[in-house]
Amino acid sequence: MHTQPPRLCAIHQPNLLPRLSTLAKLYAADIWVVLDDVQFARRDYQHRARLAALDDPQRQRWLSVETRLPDGRSTLVRDALLADPRRAARRLSYLPAQHYRTSRHWQLLHAVLEPVVDTVSEAVGTAAVAEATTRALLKLLGWRGTIVRSSDLAASSDRSLRLADLTTAVGADTYLCGTGGWRYLDRRPFVERQLTVHAFRPPAVVGDLWTEATTISALWALAAYGPSAVGAAFDGLRTAVGTSREGPPPGRGAGPPA
């Protein structure tokens, strides 16, 4: 008797030029649910990314796109707007090139980022730009998963119940939960739906491509080590997720989904 392989779901807000840990989690999933109907957080990574110097990942600077919130602090991710699309396009073009154009892998990075930059000057929503940068990096790595948006799906407003609802709505049987999510996740809605929750943790390694993986944009690892090396590391994590899909029971508390 043949069993069907698990369908893995990652639920994450659109991040601008996402961190390596975030990109790895999305790559390990079959489905990325773009969490776009939750409150926009200025202290998060929806409109900004840390770029690290190619020769020194400890030397970092923010790349941000100015964003205005039509409904103030209650503005949802999907409703946040670029304050100056043309300026945003210039920053997305200039700053990555300034940091990584000396890399022998820069042409590959530039080839996937340039089409995104070309559309930013005419864009309106910050979320659309952030999602596009993530799509570009996933495409570079050969990811063949599916992307849907939470705003197109019916789900509860309760944090953990919402995640379980979204996992069910896309036909997945496993929810990939980042380390931040363990702080608040209530596993009961998943148990009730016979869903598996897998704690997704990137390797805590210093001195290779996982350096500062939870802090800086994945652009650094892609420029320093190349898409082939990053893709191979991601494939290894994906295989590990497929063979071990259980994590420690989470407690409850506060914190954004990760």
Side-chain angles (χ1 to χ4, degrees):
M1 179 177 177
H2 296 286
T3 58
Q4 293 294 322
R7 282 173 59 81
L8 310 175
C9 170
I11 303 171
H12 206 283
Q13 298 166 12
N15 281 187
L16 187 72
L17 297 171
R19 293 159 290 165
L20 193 68
S21 57
T22 299
L23 195 65
K25 183 177 73 171
L26 300 182
Y27 184 92
D30 301 298
I31 307 157
W32 172 27
V33 179
V34 181
L35 194 62
D36 67 346
D37 56 354
V38 294
Q39 185 175 319
F40 183 93
R42 286 198 179 275
R43 292 183 177 274
D44 211 328
Y45 292 87
Q46 298 145 23
H47 67 306
R48 61 182 187 166
R50 286 184 185 272
L51 300 184
L54 187 61
D55 60 349
D56 182 6
Q58 304 302 320
R59 192 155 48 90
Q60 304 166 11
R61 68 173 295 182
W62 284 108
L63 184 166
S64 60
V65 293
E66 296 174 51
T67 296
R68 62 184 182 88
L69 307 180
D71 299 317
R73 294 180 62 183
S74 64
T75 300
L76 301 181
V77 169
R78 68 187 181 201
D79 297 325
L81 303 174
L82 292 176
D84 188 339
R86 293 186 182 279
R87 176 177 169 80
R90 289 195 298 271
R91 290 181 65 81
L92 282 169
S93 176
Y94 173 72
L95 288 178
Q98 182 185 54
H99 280 72
Y100 306 119
R101 62 189 170 198
T102 59
S103 164
R104 62 190 179 93
H105 306 290
W106 170 244
Q107 289 305 316
L108 292 173
L109 292 174
H110 179 67
V112 297
L113 292 177
E114 186 176 26
V116 176
V117 172
D118 289 343
T119 64
V120 172
S121 60
E122 305 300 328
V124 176
T126 300
V129 173
E131 180 185 326
T133 63
T134 304
R135 283 177 177 265
L137 298 186
L138 288 171
K139 178 182 177 181
L140 176 64
L141 295 169
W143 185 68
R144 297 181 181 179
T146 302
I147 298 175
V148 299
R149 297 181 183 86
S150 60
S151 56
D152 294 329
L153 303 170
S156 169
S157 59
D158 175 82
R159 287 177 174 177
S160 296
L161 186 54
R162 175 203 293 268
L163 297 174
D165 284 346
L166 292 173
T167 302
T168 300
V170 297
D173 60 16
T174 299
Y175 167 56
L176 296 181
C177 184
T179 52
W182 282 117
R183 295 197 303 268
Y184 77 87
L185 191 72
D186 179 0
R187 193 168 175 175
R188 286 173 296 180
F190 294 88
V191 172
E192 292 167 359
R193 291 162 176 74
Q194 297 183 315
L195 301 172
T196 297
V197 179
H198 179 83
F200 184 86
R201 298 183 180 91
V205 180
V206 177
D208 72 355
L209 61 84
W210 295 106
T211 299
E212 299 284 331
T214 62
T215 304
I216 60 178
S217 169
L219 285 181
W220 177 81
L222 289 164
Y225 291 87
S228 294
V230 172
F234 281 13
D235 284 336
L237 279 182
R238 182 181 175 89
T239 299
V241 168
T243 56
S244 175
R245 296 185 292 137
E246 289 288 348
R252 300 194 67 175

